[in-house]
Amino acid sequence: MRRIRTIVADDHPDMVSALVSALEDDSRFTVVATAVSGPEAETVARRTSPDIVLLDVRMPGGGAVATRAIRALPRPPVVVAVSAYSSPTAVEEMMGAGAHGYLTKGRIGHLLPDLVVRCVDGEVVLI
């Protein structure tokens, strides 16, 4: 079985650790890189060719700008917004920039791996 190559991009170390742990505890995933800013997420995505990037909406250089840059790569990965903020404006902005999903941090918990798989499979997931 091919593992889903994942980048976790968030500027809060505890959140990165939690997301990485949740994904790497699932045999479907391998986390190929982490990033603490939007530009760094783009750089590591260019270098590692992931299947998916979990991107914090409100980290430095994150959000819609980073989503557009990552989606413009020659082999663009799926981008899923991960945020503590779930305002309709934030969701619309990220989806308009090319995100395939929007996951609210306080709502995903143990569901994260399955939600990410759904996004990789082409489903739009808004939680």
Side-chain angles (χ1 to χ4, degrees):
M1 174 174 84
R2 183 178 164 273
R3 297 178 112 197
I4 299 169
R5 295 171 47 79
T6 308
I7 291 174
V8 175
D10 197 301
D11 60 331
H12 293 100
D14 290 341
M15 183 54 63
V16 171
S17 179
L19 294 171
V20 168
S21 179
L23 294 173
E24 291 206 326
D25 284 347
D26 189 303
S27 64
R28 296 173 290 182
F29 295 91
T30 186
V31 176
V32 297
T34 61
V36 297
S37 71
E40 183 181 12
E42 179 188 358
T43 298
V44 296
R46 184 180 308 279
R47 187 179 75 237
T48 62
S49 298
D51 300 305
I52 190 163
V53 175
L54 300 183
L55 180 72
D56 182 24
V57 174
R58 295 212 177 166
M59 68 178 173
V65 171
T67 299
R68 284 187 189 92
I70 292 166
R71 294 292 302 147
L73 293 173
R75 287 175 286 158
V78 170
V79 174
V80 174
V82 181
S83 181
Y85 306 96
S86 61
S87 74
T89 303
V91 174
E92 289 172 16
E93 181 178 24
M94 290 302 293
M95 299 307 288
H100 288 73
Y102 196 103
L103 308 178
T104 305
K105 290 177 180 175
R107 297 182 184 170
I108 52 179
H110 68 281
L111 301 173
L112 179 67
D114 291 333
L115 295 171
V116 172
V117 167
R118 288 169 52 190
C119 291
V120 170
D121 287 345
E123 185 177 340
V124 174
V125 177
L126 306 173
I127 301 282

